[in-house]
Amino acid sequence: MTTTPGAVPGATDGDAAPSAARPASLSPSRAGDFMQCPLLYRFRVIDKLPEKPSAAATRGTLVHAVLERLFDHPAQERTAPRAKALVPGQWQRLLEAKPELAELFPEGDGGAELARWLTEAEALVERWFTLEDPTRLEPVEREFFVETELDSGLRLRGIIDRVDVAPSGEVRIVDYKTGKAPRPQYAEGALFQMKFYALVVWRLKQVVPRRLQLVYLGSGEVLTYDPVVADLERVERKLLALWEAIREATETGDWRPRPTKLCGWCDHQAVCPEFGGTPPPYPLAVVPRQGAQGGEPGAVRPAQS
């Protein structure tokens, strides 16, 4: 019997709660969730448990919006003062889309905390001008949604901050980060997202991007990497192994927590066994495993390089 990736064999739509969803595709962020903690992946993708917005993440969204909108202006007008002037308007647009973001800031301080937060966002925007010159850039795409299906049936998707194409046809993928650049020993993890995007572009356009570029506004650094076909083939194998582990966990309902230092920032401690909580009832049909070998259910199997 052939099954769709992420589907539970033998189950019908009526077997699952209306709010539940079987994984149907993989993005860099969701792949990162599963590698960090399979139970976190379940909470976000299958249970869709709510999470509180954070000031740091919202600031990142704001800065991304400003840098995207700056390219609406002619090249000579892409200046730091113009970019900073976009911050209040883009913040208002975020508030209109998500009024709950106003709860990030106390009401009784006369707007002091919000003003400080907006100033921090402006500083990140201004720092970008020390790293790139937007007057010399004409992005082909901004906030570019990409999606492709591999031969295996795995669907990959994501949003690329910026795509530049040189007159020679060479492609550069750029991603803005509002945090600090990682230490060299952790650079590979940071580049995973970019290699994911490069794989999608390669499969879509049959072109290997010439350069992957991470722009860290928090520390004023730029991390670059020039991929080759062998890199992207390794990433594809890793993603296929990851997806197989996700499918196995989906079918068995066995999603193991993986404690790390990041647990302290998790919104789901109340329902996590590592903190004495109980996960909500699993909303999908479960297929018992028979004669399984090679590791614990839900565990990520090592990818072959």
Side-chain angles (χ1 to χ4, degrees):
M1 180 178 67
T2 302
T3 60
T4 301
V8 179
T12 65
D13 291 342
D15 294 321
S19 60
R22 298 182 180 91
S25 63
L26 198 60
S27 68
S29 56
R30 297 293 78 85
D33 286 344
F34 191 84
M35 289 187 290
Q36 175 186 327
C37 174
L39 187 58
L40 174 64
Y41 178 97
R42 176 202 149 170
F43 288 158
R44 285 178 168 169
V45 176
I46 295 178
D47 298 292
K48 292 183 170 59
L49 299 184
E51 296 182 350
K52 297 179 181 178
S54 72
T58 304
R59 184 172 54 232
T61 301
L62 173 59
V63 170
H64 277 72
V66 169
L67 298 185
E68 179 191 4
R69 294 275 68 85
L70 183 65
F71 285 103
D72 290 340
H73 298 276
Q76 66 273 17
E77 296 181 15
R78 298 172 196 158
T79 64
R82 169 59 64 90
K84 290 169 63 176
L86 294 174
V87 170
Q90 291 303 313
W91 168 235
Q92 288 304 314
R93 290 185 63 180
L94 285 178
L95 271 181
E96 291 170 5
K98 296 183 177 181
E100 65 272 18
L101 293 179
E103 300 175 6
L104 290 171
F105 309 102
E107 297 180 356
D109 67 348
E113 183 64 21
L114 173 59
R116 182 190 64 79
W117 182 82
L118 289 172
T119 298
E120 291 175 348
E122 291 175 355
L124 291 171
V125 169
E126 190 169 29
R127 182 171 291 152
W128 177 57
F129 287 82
T130 69
L131 305 173
E132 295 191 287
D133 182 357
T135 66
R136 302 178 62 184
L137 298 172
E138 291 298 339
V140 172
E141 300 288 352
R142 291 171 279 153
E143 293 296 310
F144 182 41
F145 176 78
V146 290
E147 184 176 39
T148 191
E149 186 171 303
L150 303 179
D151 292 341
S152 65
L154 171 57
R155 184 167 294 276
L156 305 178
R157 61 196 304 172
I159 298 177
I160 301 173
D161 287 347
R162 199 180 85 218
V163 178
D164 301 330
V165 178
S168 61
E170 292 180 324
V171 175
R172 176 172 63 184
I173 296 176
V174 181
D175 194 74
Y176 309 119
K177 299 294 185 184
T178 49
K180 296 181 179 180
R183 296 176 181 177
Q185 61 266 37
Y186 301 116
E188 184 61 30
L191 284 169
F192 171 76
Q193 173 188 8
M194 303 301 286
K195 291 181 180 180
F196 184 110
Y197 291 145
L199 171 62
V200 175
V201 170
W202 178 42
R203 291 305 190 194
L204 277 175
K205 306 292 186 182
Q206 288 73 55
V207 174
V208 176
R210 174 68 178 82
R211 173 153 294 181
L212 310 178
Q213 181 166 303
L214 283 162
V215 181
Y216 286 94
L217 305 176
S219 55
E221 298 174 74
V222 176
L223 176 63
T224 62
Y225 184 81
D226 298 340
V228 296
V229 169
D231 290 327
L232 305 187
E233 290 175 339
R234 281 192 292 270
V235 171
E236 183 168 349
R237 290 195 295 270
K238 179 176 183 176
L239 292 174
L240 291 175
L242 189 68
W243 188 245
E244 182 59 30
I246 291 172
R247 289 184 62 180
E248 183 176 296
T250 301
E251 293 175 358
T252 63
D254 193 339
W255 301 88
R256 304 290 177 91
R258 182 175 295 123
T260 68
K261 294 179 180 179
L262 298 175
C263 290
W265 285 273
C266 184
D267 280 347
H268 307 302
Q269 294 181 15
V271 290
C272 178
E274 292 296 320
F275 292 86
T278 302
Y282 191 54
L284 299 178
V286 172
V287 178
R289 299 180 69 211
Q290 295 180 355
Q293 296 179 354
E296 297 179 341
V300 179
R301 297 172 180 171
Q304 299 298 316
S305 59

